[in-house]
Amino acid sequence: MTDPAVPSIRRASRVFLQVVVVLVALGAAALMLWEPHVEGRNAHATTFQIYFNDPFLAYAYVASIALFVALYQAFRLLGYAGQGRMFTPVAVRALRIIRYCALALIVFIGAEEVYAFVVVRGRDDIAGGVALGLVMMFLCVVAAAAAAVFERVLQTAVDMKSENDLTV
């Protein structure tokens, strides 16, 4: 006998996680648009000076594309789970894209860290930026490792499912 409350719990947790993903994306976008205006050296600058005289800001916006692609893929992956399409190649592909995006973020943040040590060191205090970059790199390493493990497990399940479908 099945419990009628179980599917609603699964649906509720899936929707909750999708809302969390959307809120993270909105929060990241809001932070990226708000923070440059209150940064110390940009506090009294015009919008043109903020966005067109700072190559690091352009670099951060380009690097953020990987974050937003990963969040979109996470949202889609949760949608696949809700549709009962979790054990399909498209779900494996979504996890692979999330892993690649996390690895791309590690490279982007690592390049920023190198830039801070080589170019900015001595002219400005880089300790806070370097610490924040290291924390973000650690989080990306955790996300990439988790995505790789889930991808491997899911690929094994998809392979087993396709073998069982051929057997019947």
Side-chain angles (χ1 to χ4, degrees):
M1 183 170 190
T2 61
D3 186 8
V6 172
S8 64
I9 291 172
R10 290 182 184 155
R11 182 176 187 277
S13 55
R14 178 186 54 83
V15 169
F16 172 75
L17 289 173
Q18 283 182 320
V19 167
V20 167
V21 168
V22 168
L23 289 176
V24 167
L26 290 175
L31 182 67
M32 289 177 60
L33 294 174
W34 169 76
E35 194 276 332
H37 295 280
V38 296
E39 183 185 15
R41 65 181 174 176
N42 291 334
H44 301 293
T46 65
T47 303
F48 181 83
Q49 290 171 330
I50 291 171
Y51 289 108
F52 294 105
N53 290 344
D54 191 1
F56 178 74
L57 191 59
Y59 180 79
Y61 284 152
V62 169
S64 72
I65 293 170
L67 172 70
F68 291 114
V69 169
L71 289 172
Y72 174 71
Q73 291 299 323
F75 187 85
R76 286 184 58 196
L77 189 63
L78 290 167
Y80 296 148
Q83 297 168 357
R85 296 175 43 199
M86 194 62 194
F87 299 105
T88 59
V90 292
V92 174
R93 183 170 168 256
L95 279 168
R96 186 173 300 122
I97 291 171
I98 291 171
R99 178 172 50 105
Y100 289 154
C101 287
L103 293 173
L105 282 170
I106 292 168
V107 169
F108 277 118
I109 296 168
E112 178 274 327
E113 296 287 321
V114 169
Y115 173 79
F117 274 112
V118 173
V119 177
V120 180
R121 189 175 191 173
R123 291 189 292 149
D124 199 3
D125 185 18
I126 63 170
V130 169
L132 185 61
L134 291 175
V135 168
M136 290 187 326
M137 283 179 69
F138 175 74
L139 293 175
C140 289
V141 166
V142 170
V149 169
F150 292 145
E151 178 189 351
R152 184 171 293 138
V153 169
L154 196 59
Q155 183 63 53
T156 303
V158 168
D159 292 343
M160 289 174 62
K161 182 178 180 250
S162 66
E163 285 178 22
N164 287 341
D165 289 345
L166 293 174
T167 303
V168 175

